[in-house]
mmCIF file of all heavy atoms in Angstrom:
data_model
loop_
_atom_site.group_PDB
_atom_site.id
_atom_site.type_symbol
_atom_site.label_atom_id
_atom_site.label_comp_id
_atom_site.label_asym_id
_atom_site.label_seq_id
_atom_site.Cartn_x
_atom_site.Cartn_y
_atom_site.Cartn_z
ATOM 1 N N THR M 13 0.843 -1.258 -0.030
ATOM 2 C CA THR M 13 0.025 0.019 -0.018
ATOM 3 C C THR M 13 0.893 1.204 -0.058
ATOM 4 O O THR M 13 2.004 1.197 0.537
ATOM 5 C CB THR M 13 -0.949 0.038 1.190
ATOM 6 O OG1 THR M 13 -0.229 0.098 2.366
ATOM 7 C CG2 THR M 13 -1.845 -1.182 1.172
ATOM 8 N N SER M 14 0.338 2.276 -0.571
ATOM 9 C CA SER M 14 1.096 3.561 -0.615
ATOM 10 C C SER M 14 0.097 4.664 -0.925
ATOM 11 O O SER M 14 -1.014 4.519 -1.324
ATOM 12 C CB SER M 14 2.113 3.559 -1.756
ATOM 13 O OG SER M 14 2.900 4.706 -1.811
ATOM 14 N N ARG M 15 0.534 5.883 -0.580
ATOM 15 C CA ARG M 15 -0.302 7.144 -0.843
ATOM 16 C C ARG M 15 0.503 7.985 -1.897
ATOM 17 O O ARG M 15 0.193 9.122 -2.061
ATOM 18 C CB ARG M 15 -0.379 7.921 0.439
ATOM 19 C CG ARG M 15 -1.114 7.285 1.554
ATOM 20 C CD ARG M 15 -1.342 8.254 2.762
ATOM 21 N NE ARG M 15 -1.778 9.512 2.406
ATOM 22 C CZ ARG M 15 -2.876 9.952 2.031
ATOM 23 N NH1 ARG M 15 -3.912 9.170 1.975
ATOM 24 N NH2 ARG M 15 -3.174 11.272 1.733
ATOM 25 N N ARG M 16 1.274 7.352 -2.755
ATOM 26 C CA ARG M 16 2.212 8.126 -3.656
ATOM 27 C C ARG M 16 1.388 9.021 -4.604
ATOM 28 O O ARG M 16 1.966 10.011 -5.071
ATOM 29 C CB ARG M 16 3.117 7.209 -4.367
ATOM 30 C CG ARG M 16 2.569 6.090 -5.047
ATOM 31 C CD ARG M 16 3.595 5.146 -5.736
ATOM 32 N NE ARG M 16 4.369 4.511 -4.600
ATOM 33 C CZ ARG M 16 5.659 4.184 -4.745
ATOM 34 N NH1 ARG M 16 6.260 4.322 -5.894
ATOM 35 N NH2 ARG M 16 6.322 3.656 -3.726
ATOM 36 N N THR M 17 0.168 8.722 -5.019
ATOM 37 C CA THR M 17 -0.451 9.603 -6.013
ATOM 38 C C THR M 17 -1.701 10.330 -5.266
ATOM 39 O O THR M 17 -2.419 11.052 -5.999
ATOM 40 C CB THR M 17 -1.024 8.811 -7.164
ATOM 41 O OG1 THR M 17 -1.985 7.883 -6.782
ATOM 42 C CG2 THR M 17 0.135 8.140 -7.893
ATOM 43 N N LEU M 18 -1.899 10.207 -4.038
ATOM 44 C CA LEU M 18 -2.920 10.824 -3.347
ATOM 45 C C LEU M 18 -2.485 12.176 -2.782
ATOM 46 O O LEU M 18 -1.375 12.345 -2.359
ATOM 47 C CB LEU M 18 -3.481 9.984 -2.148
ATOM 48 C CG LEU M 18 -4.151 8.653 -2.618
ATOM 49 C CD1 LEU M 18 -4.467 7.873 -1.321
ATOM 50 C CD2 LEU M 18 -5.312 8.838 -3.390
ATOM 51 N N LYS M 19 -3.381 13.115 -2.664
ATOM 52 C CA LYS M 19 -3.076 14.402 -2.129
ATOM 53 C C LYS M 19 -3.056 14.300 -0.593
ATOM 54 O O LYS M 19 -3.686 13.410 0.052
ATOM 55 C CB LYS M 19 -4.105 15.439 -2.559
ATOM 56 C CG LYS M 19 -4.028 15.699 -4.029
ATOM 57 C CD LYS M 19 -4.976 16.740 -4.429
ATOM 58 C CE LYS M 19 -4.848 17.022 -5.938
ATOM 59 N NZ LYS M 19 -6.043 17.097 -6.630
ATOM 60 N N GLU M 20 -2.333 15.166 0.083
ATOM 61 C CA GLU M 20 -2.158 15.222 1.532
ATOM 62 C C GLU M 20 -3.541 15.077 2.201
ATOM 63 O O GLU M 20 -3.620 14.297 3.257
ATOM 64 C CB GLU M 20 -1.459 16.474 1.945
ATOM 65 C CG GLU M 20 -1.075 16.499 3.379
ATOM 66 C CD GLU M 20 0.298 15.929 3.670
ATOM 67 O OE1 GLU M 20 1.088 15.866 2.788
ATOM 68 O OE2 GLU M 20 0.521 15.579 4.809
ATOM 69 N N ALA M 21 -4.526 15.732 1.847
ATOM 70 C CA ALA M 21 -5.810 15.695 2.554
ATOM 71 C C ALA M 21 -6.698 14.559 2.205
ATOM 72 O O ALA M 21 -7.675 14.246 2.988
ATOM 73 C CB ALA M 21 -6.519 17.047 2.214
ATOM 74 N N GLU M 22 -6.313 13.845 1.175
ATOM 75 C CA GLU M 22 -7.186 12.671 0.794
ATOM 76 C C GLU M 22 -6.874 11.454 1.707
ATOM 77 O O GLU M 22 -5.814 11.108 2.026
ATOM 78 C CB GLU M 22 -6.856 12.225 -0.616
ATOM 79 C CG GLU M 22 -7.301 13.109 -1.678
ATOM 80 C CD GLU M 22 -7.021 12.578 -3.098
ATOM 81 O OE1 GLU M 22 -5.872 12.617 -3.519
ATOM 82 O OE2 GLU M 22 -7.985 12.158 -3.768
ATOM 83 N N PRO M 23 -8.027 10.777 2.249
ATOM 84 C CA PRO M 23 -7.852 9.655 3.098
ATOM 85 C C PRO M 23 -7.465 8.378 2.320
ATOM 86 O O PRO M 23 -7.645 8.320 1.101
ATOM 87 C CB PRO M 23 -9.275 9.512 3.717
ATOM 88 C CG PRO M 23 -10.140 9.998 2.723
ATOM 89 C CD PRO M 23 -9.425 11.145 1.950
ATOM 90 N N GLY M 24 -6.888 7.467 3.024
ATOM 91 C CA GLY M 24 -6.701 6.041 2.434
ATOM 92 C C GLY M 24 -5.372 5.892 1.743
ATOM 93 O O GLY M 24 -4.460 6.698 1.811
ATOM 94 N N SER M 25 -5.276 4.731 1.183
ATOM 95 C CA SER M 25 -4.062 4.286 0.390
ATOM 96 C C SER M 25 -4.447 3.512 -0.778
ATOM 97 O O SER M 25 -5.638 3.172 -0.998
ATOM 98 C CB SER M 25 -3.224 3.395 1.316
ATOM 99 O OG SER M 25 -2.750 3.981 2.412
ATOM 100 N N GLU M 26 -3.494 3.288 -1.671
ATOM 101 C CA GLU M 26 -3.749 2.563 -2.924
ATOM 102 C C GLU M 26 -2.893 1.357 -2.907
ATOM 103 O O GLU M 26 -1.835 1.330 -2.221
ATOM 104 C CB GLU M 26 -3.298 3.435 -4.128
ATOM 105 C CG GLU M 26 -4.071 4.711 -4.255
ATOM 106 C CD GLU M 26 -3.444 5.595 -5.275
ATOM 107 O OE1 GLU M 26 -2.172 5.924 -5.212
ATOM 108 O OE2 GLU M 26 -4.137 6.137 -6.131
ATOM 109 N N VAL M 27 -3.198 0.321 -3.752
ATOM 110 C CA VAL M 27 -2.383 -0.885 -3.799
ATOM 111 C C VAL M 27 -1.542 -0.789 -5.032
ATOM 112 O O VAL M 27 -1.931 -0.373 -6.117
ATOM 113 C CB VAL M 27 -3.299 -2.157 -3.963
ATOM 114 C CG1 VAL M 27 -2.441 -3.325 -4.124
ATOM 115 C CG2 VAL M 27 -4.145 -2.316 -2.704
ATOM 116 N N TRP M 28 -0.191 -1.046 -4.756
ATOM 117 C CA TRP M 28 0.740 -0.996 -5.778
ATOM 118 C C TRP M 28 1.428 -2.295 -5.957
ATOM 119 O O TRP M 28 1.432 -3.123 -5.054
ATOM 120 C CB TRP M 28 1.873 0.168 -5.489
ATOM 121 C CG TRP M 28 1.282 1.505 -5.594
ATOM 122 C CD1 TRP M 28 0.430 2.128 -4.745
ATOM 123 C CD2 TRP M 28 1.436 2.428 -6.715
ATOM 124 N NE1 TRP M 28 0.145 3.383 -5.249
ATOM 125 C CE2 TRP M 28 0.767 3.611 -6.427
ATOM 126 C CE3 TRP M 28 2.239 2.342 -7.879
ATOM 127 C CZ2 TRP M 28 0.806 4.694 -7.267
ATOM 128 C CZ3 TRP M 28 2.233 3.439 -8.715
ATOM 129 C CH2 TRP M 28 1.536 4.537 -8.492
ATOM 130 N N ILE M 29 2.168 -2.500 -7.100
ATOM 131 C CA ILE M 29 2.843 -3.819 -7.348
ATOM 132 C C ILE M 29 4.269 -3.476 -7.714
ATOM 133 O O ILE M 29 4.551 -2.588 -8.552
ATOM 134 C CB ILE M 29 2.205 -4.554 -8.520
ATOM 135 C CG1 ILE M 29 0.645 -4.776 -8.233
ATOM 136 C CG2 ILE M 29 2.924 -5.885 -8.707
ATOM 137 C CD1 ILE M 29 0.332 -5.752 -7.122
ATOM 138 N N VAL M 30 5.220 -4.305 -7.216
ATOM 139 C CA VAL M 30 6.701 -4.163 -7.601
ATOM 140 C C VAL M 30 7.190 -5.533 -7.740
ATOM 141 O O VAL M 30 6.729 -6.463 -7.144
ATOM 142 C CB VAL M 30 7.403 -3.385 -6.596
ATOM 143 C CG1 VAL M 30 7.536 -4.009 -5.285
ATOM 144 C CG2 VAL M 30 8.762 -2.893 -7.141
ATOM 145 N N ARG M 31 8.201 -5.714 -8.607
ATOM 146 C CA ARG M 31 8.908 -6.993 -8.739
ATOM 147 C C ARG M 31 9.950 -7.110 -7.620
ATOM 148 O O ARG M 31 10.538 -6.145 -7.284
ATOM 149 C CB ARG M 31 9.546 -7.118 -10.148
ATOM 150 C CG ARG M 31 8.630 -7.014 -11.277
ATOM 151 C CD ARG M 31 9.220 -7.356 -12.678
ATOM 152 N NE ARG M 31 8.378 -7.082 -13.677
ATOM 153 C CZ ARG M 31 7.316 -7.785 -13.990
ATOM 154 N NH1 ARG M 31 7.039 -8.895 -13.424
ATOM 155 N NH2 ARG M 31 6.550 -7.442 -15.060
ATOM 156 N N PRO M 32 10.252 -8.314 -7.134
ATOM 157 C CA PRO M 32 11.183 -8.475 -6.095
ATOM 158 C C PRO M 32 12.546 -8.007 -6.400
ATOM 159 O O PRO M 32 13.329 -7.643 -5.488
ATOM 160 C CB PRO M 32 11.185 -10.025 -5.822
ATOM 161 C CG PRO M 32 9.988 -10.584 -6.428
ATOM 162 C CD PRO M 32 9.556 -9.522 -7.499
ATOM 163 N N GLY M 33 12.915 -7.955 -7.724
ATOM 164 C CA GLY M 33 14.230 -7.498 -8.108
ATOM 165 C C GLY M 33 14.311 -5.997 -8.213
ATOM 166 O O GLY M 33 15.376 -5.455 -8.511
ATOM 167 N N GLY M 34 13.179 -5.307 -7.998
ATOM 168 C CA GLY M 34 13.101 -3.923 -8.096
ATOM 169 C C GLY M 34 12.519 -3.368 -9.367
ATOM 170 O O GLY M 34 11.946 -4.194 -10.142
ATOM 171 N N GLY M 35 12.603 -2.107 -9.552
ATOM 172 C CA GLY M 35 11.936 -1.482 -10.704
ATOM 173 C C GLY M 35 10.891 -0.493 -10.334
ATOM 174 O O GLY M 35 10.580 -0.384 -9.096
ATOM 175 N N GLU M 36 10.268 0.101 -11.251
ATOM 176 C CA GLU M 36 9.206 1.112 -10.974
ATOM 177 C C GLU M 36 7.909 0.379 -10.594
ATOM 178 O O GLU M 36 7.444 -0.498 -11.373
ATOM 179 C CB GLU M 36 9.058 1.976 -12.217
ATOM 180 C CG GLU M 36 8.117 3.158 -11.994
ATOM 181 C CD GLU M 36 8.705 4.072 -10.934
ATOM 182 O OE1 GLU M 36 9.927 4.223 -10.864
ATOM 183 O OE2 GLU M 36 7.928 4.758 -10.225
#
């Protein structure tokens, strides 16, 4: 979970995916 695209005042989090070797 992350708040990377949410604004400061917005509640909650979003689900993100990453590969174990890294990457965007």
Side-chain angles (χ1 to χ4, degrees):
T13 62
S14 183
R15 295 186 42 80
R16 55 185 64 212
T17 62
L18 298 175
K19 294 181 178 138
E20 186 90 19
E22 288 182 286
S25 295
E26 302 168 308
V27 176
W28 289 76
I29 306 291
V30 68
R31 297 188 192 284
E36 189 64 32

